[in-house]
Amino acid sequence: KSIEANISKTEKRKKENNYGVTVKGENNLMVRFAKCCNPVPGDNILGYITKGRGVSIHRKDCSNLQILIKEDPQKVVEVSWGTAKGVAYMAEIQVKSEDRPGLLSDVMNIITESKLSLNALSAKSAKGNLAYINIKVKIDTIEQLKELMRKIRKLTGVIDVYRMNN
């Protein structure tokens, strides 16, 4: 009986995996986050059952997910954010700005002050005196990302800051 009690306790604990996502009605499923839309806690999400790779978690507004839904709607499953602690999520944003000296430095200062872990950054000049900066950071919550975007929007010359959805 003690073994059975341990098994049932273990099964209850496995409903939320270490990624902080719960798949409705199922437990102990392999979950991975789609790189096309990089969902983070707070985003509206859906799961898509893949062949051999478990459930792929997408933002509901992901264009790739919309294509998958049209192809095979039966593979879509409801998922929700759990309460995992210490799990970092990758988020990618793009900054569209007037090109000016010191722009990249100003953006980097905001990232540093926000104490976020920078994973990747690329910047390029474009026609019409524009600059595009792609930033990939590790975040714990959607609020951290929204705050970073809000601060960057306040910089001189910044036209727009938005989430990337490849």
Side-chain angles (χ1 to χ4, degrees), residues 23-116:
V23 179
K24 300 258 164 82
E26 298 294 326
N27 58 2
N28 207 19
L29 290 178
M30 187 167 69
V31 171
R32 66 179 190 84
F33 293 100
K35 289 189 174 28
C36 51
C37 56
N38 293 318
V40 297
D43 284 338
N44 290 323
I45 54 174
L46 279 174
Y48 187 80
I49 300 167
T50 63
K51 290 181 183 172
R53 290 180 304 189
V55 178
S56 180
I57 308 300
H58 291 263
R59 289 185 1 218
K60 279 187 179 177
D61 64 356
C62 174
S63 55
N64 288 345
L65 177 65
Q66 299 309 315
I67 292 166
L68 291 170
I69 290 171
K70 284 177 186 165
E71 288 175 5
D72 202 348
Q74 303 90 297
K75 289 188 174 184
V76 176
V77 291
E78 289 220 11
V79 294
S80 60
W81 291 108
T83 56
K85 299 278 185 268
V87 178
Y89 299 86
M90 203 59 65
E92 189 171 0
I93 60 174
Q94 184 170 72
V95 179
K96 179 182 178 184
S97 176
E98 295 171 7
D99 201 357
R100 65 169 175 82
L103 173 65
L104 191 55
S105 176
D106 291 347
V107 170
M108 287 301 299
N109 285 337
I110 289 172
I111 295 168
T112 303
E113 287 166 10
S114 300
K115 293 182 172 60
L116 294 174

Side-chain angles (χ1 to χ4, degrees), residues 2-13:
S2 66
I3 293 172
E4 287 174 2
N6 266 349
I7 290 170
S8 70
K9 282 181 189 173
T10 305
E11 285 177 357
K12 284 177 187 165
R13 266 190 258 128

Side-chain angles (χ1 to χ4, degrees), residues 110-111 114 116 144-152:
I110 289 172
I111 295 168
S114 300
L116 294 174
Q144 287 178 318
L145 186 63
K146 286 178 179 174
E147 180 68 10
L148 175 66
M149 292 169 70
R150 188 184 63 74
K151 287 178 179 176
I152 293 173

